[in-house]
Every structure is written in C-alpha cells, then in structure tokens.
C-alpha cells in the first residue's frame, strides 16, 4: 500500500468587494507510490493495457492559485494556475502522467437579462509517459464556449461548443495523451418548477 507524509498551507480570502483569492502550497514524501508507466504496459495494436506499479520512493511539491474577479455587474473573470513538480527518487526522473502546469481562464458575461456567454480556455503542459524512454505527451490548449438563454422564469436553453479548435490525440502515436474527444456541439434545455 502507498503511504505518504504531506505538508500543506493555504489561504483563501476576499481582497476587495470584487476580488477573491485562493492560494495553496504542498509538499509530499511518498513511499510505494502506486502509478502507471508506459514501461509497464503491453500493447494490442494501438490499445495500451496498463498494470499498476509501485515507486519505492518519490516526492511531489507545488501549489495553485485561483482568482475570481467580478469586473462589473455583467462580467466575472475566473483564472487558475497549478504547478506540480514530481521526483522519482529511485530513477532520478519525473513521475509519469503528472503535467507540471495547468491553467484555466473563464469569463462569465451577461449579454443582457436573458443571455449569458461563458468562454473557457484550458492549458495542460507536456507530461512524461515513459520513464525508460523519457517519452513525453505533448502540451495542449482547448477553448470551450457556452451560451445560456433564459427563455422563461422556469425554462433555460443552452448551446455549447467544446474543444472549438479540435485538439485531439493522434491515435497512431502511443506517446500522445492529449484529449480523446474531438470538437463537440451541444444543445440542451432545463426546466425548473
């Protein structure tokens, strides 16, 4: 079984009437870390079959920051960034499937009293997938957008496009772990009574 000793510190507060801030930091010492590695996988064609393995000794550290800013009565901006550094103490390499950087930027904009636009930009840095080959999956950006319409006091409609730029993994490249889903168009409704 995996065991760890963790140290964490964080702050959450309201910097002003319009700005909220969250900051967290952490450090973990881990024994017998349970993880997957492409080195421990078998392949049937392009399908990888993974087995869990233990890393005798590892450490992780990093932090994250998040800001919510009510720009004005119509617009709210949200931003977050997370940093993660990992170390396999046995192989002196990074740990697999742990990107160093993740970021998100979203705007919640009220176009009028019935219509709301919510674009969201996401980023994830490259990540190690094979310790022995030092193979990395590429970094990626995605952009999603959603439009909400309050048709009545009880009925809401929405239209959304996820992954607008159609960022998708190359299934012929076993080192590519970008998103599986391609561009997605959604229409929906919800009724409240």
């Amino acid at each position: 079984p995996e065991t760890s000793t963790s140290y964490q510190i964080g702050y959450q507060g309201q910097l002003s009437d319009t700005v909220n801030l969250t900051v967290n930091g952490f450090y973990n010492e881990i024994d017998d870390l349970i993880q997957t590695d492409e080195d421990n996988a078998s392949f049937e064609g392009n399908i990888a079959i993974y087995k869990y393995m233990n890393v005798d000794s590892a450490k992780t550290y990093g932090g994250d920051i998040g800001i919510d800013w009510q720009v004005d009565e119509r617009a709210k901006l949200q931003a977050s960034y997370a940093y993660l550094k990992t170390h396999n103490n046995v192989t002196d390499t990074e740990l697999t499937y742990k990107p160093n950087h993740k970021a998100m930027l979203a705007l919640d904009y009220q176009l009028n009293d019935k219509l709301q636009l919510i674009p969201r930009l996401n980023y994830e840095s490259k990540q190690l997938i094979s310790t022995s080959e030092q193979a990395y999956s590429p970094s990626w950006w995605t952009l999603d957008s959603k439009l909400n319409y309050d048709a009545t006091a009880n009925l809401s409609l929405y239209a959304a496009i996820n992954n607008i730029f159609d960022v998708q993994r190359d299934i012929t490249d076993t080192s590519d772990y970008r998103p599986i889903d391609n561009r997605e168009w959604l229409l929906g409704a919800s009724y409240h009574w």
Side-chain angles (χ1 to χ4, degrees):
E2 177 181 305
T3 59
S4 67
T5 302
S6 299
Y7 306 92
Q8 299 179 18
I9 188 167
Y11 169 81
Q12 183 174 356
Q14 193 167 354
L15 299 181
S16 71
D17 291 341
T18 60
V19 179
N20 293 319
L21 175 68
T22 304
V23 180
N24 296 296
F26 64 89
Y27 178 86
N28 300 310
E29 294 176 355
I30 309 161
D31 292 321
D32 298 315
L33 171 69
I34 299 169
Q35 73 162 14
T36 57
D37 191 314
E38 195 172 88
D39 297 350
N40 238 25
S42 59
F43 290 88
E44 292 181 12
N46 285 336
I47 299 172
I49 301 167
Y50 289 91
K51 294 180 183 175
Y52 290 108
M53 58 181 273
N54 285 99
V55 172
D56 291 342
S57 175
K59 65 181 174 185
T60 64
Y61 59 90
D64 58 75
I65 185 169
I67 296 173
D68 288 344
W69 177 27
Q70 189 70 46
V71 180
D72 59 30
E73 65 276 355
R74 290 181 177 252
K76 181 179 181 180
L77 189 66
Q78 294 178 306
S80 65
Y81 169 74
Y83 174 74
L84 173 65
K85 185 67 177 171
T86 64
H87 188 255
N88 181 328
N89 297 332
V90 176
T91 60
D92 196 29
T93 62
E94 295 178 68
L95 296 171
T96 54
Y97 306 105
K98 308 263 191 280
N100 293 130
H101 309 279
K102 287 185 177 184
M104 183 277 301
L105 181 64
L107 176 67
D108 186 334
Y109 190 75
Q110 197 72 37
L111 297 167
N112 58 41
D113 61 337
K114 292 188 173 287
L115 204 56
Q116 179 186 43
L117 177 65
I118 309 171
R120 180 182 303 266
L121 183 65
N122 297 294
Y123 169 75
E124 191 170 293
S125 67
K126 68 180 184 176
Q127 56 186 300
L128 181 68
I129 58 139
S130 171
T131 302
S132 64
E133 294 180 22
Q134 286 295 289
Y136 285 82
S137 177
S139 62
W140 52 268
W141 292 87
T142 59
L143 177 64
D144 304 331
S145 191
K146 185 176 182 183
L147 192 63
N148 292 328
Y149 176 68
D150 293 328
T152 68
N154 301 84
L155 177 65
S156 297
L157 308 172
Y158 72 87
I161 306 172
N162 291 334
N163 196 359
I164 290 171
F165 299 126
D166 202 23
V167 175
Q168 190 176 18
R169 79 175 51 169
D170 177 359
I171 61 168
T172 63
D173 181 358
T174 57
S175 297
D176 193 343
Y177 279 82
R178 291 178 297 169
I180 293 174
D181 295 330
N182 58 351
R183 185 181 302 117
E184 189 175 37
W185 301 77
L186 304 165
L187 293 172
S190 62
Y191 186 81
H192 311 280
W193 60 90

